[in-house]
Amino acid sequence: MSGQEDPVQREIHQDWANREYIEVITSSIKKIADFLNSFDMSCRSRLATLNEKLTALERRIEYIEARVTKGETLT
């Protein structure tokens, strides 16, 4: 009987090792996905802020150009 248990025990240990490996890989993939989602949200937020600043600058430039075109002083 002990001869039959050794291969079974080996298979059980191998199965557990495989499951642990799969768990590590799955956990790593989840961490990468979380990081990428966080990075995406951070980039979107920063780009939105930058877009607002650029829009404000564009408006200011248009205003200054209009005043210069009319010959008004900038003070």
Side-chain angles (χ1 to χ4, degrees):
M1 281 275 264
S2 66
Q4 291 178 349
E5 291 177 5
D6 282 339
V8 171
Q9 288 291 340
R10 225 176 285 131
E11 285 185 34
I12 291 172
H13 287 295
Q14 185 61 44
D15 183 58
W16 275 108
N18 288 341
R19 289 172 188 258
E20 289 173 355
Y21 178 73
I22 290 169
E23 182 62 31
V24 167
I25 296 297
T26 302
S27 176
S28 296
I29 290 171
K30 286 178 183 177
K31 286 179 183 177
I32 290 169
D34 288 344
F35 166 76
L36 290 174
N37 286 330
S38 174
F39 183 74
D40 175 60
M41 293 301 294
S42 175
C43 288
R44 287 178 190 262
S45 174
R46 290 178 185 201
L47 286 171
T49 300
L50 185 59
N51 188 47
E52 289 173 9
K53 290 178 180 180
L54 285 173
T55 301
L57 285 172
E58 288 170 346
R59 287 184 188 149
R60 182 153 173 86
I61 288 171
E62 288 172 0
Y63 171 75
I64 292 170
E65 285 175 343
R67 287 187 64 179
V68 168
T69 302
K70 284 185 173 182
E72 297 178 9
T73 60
L74 296 176
T75 57

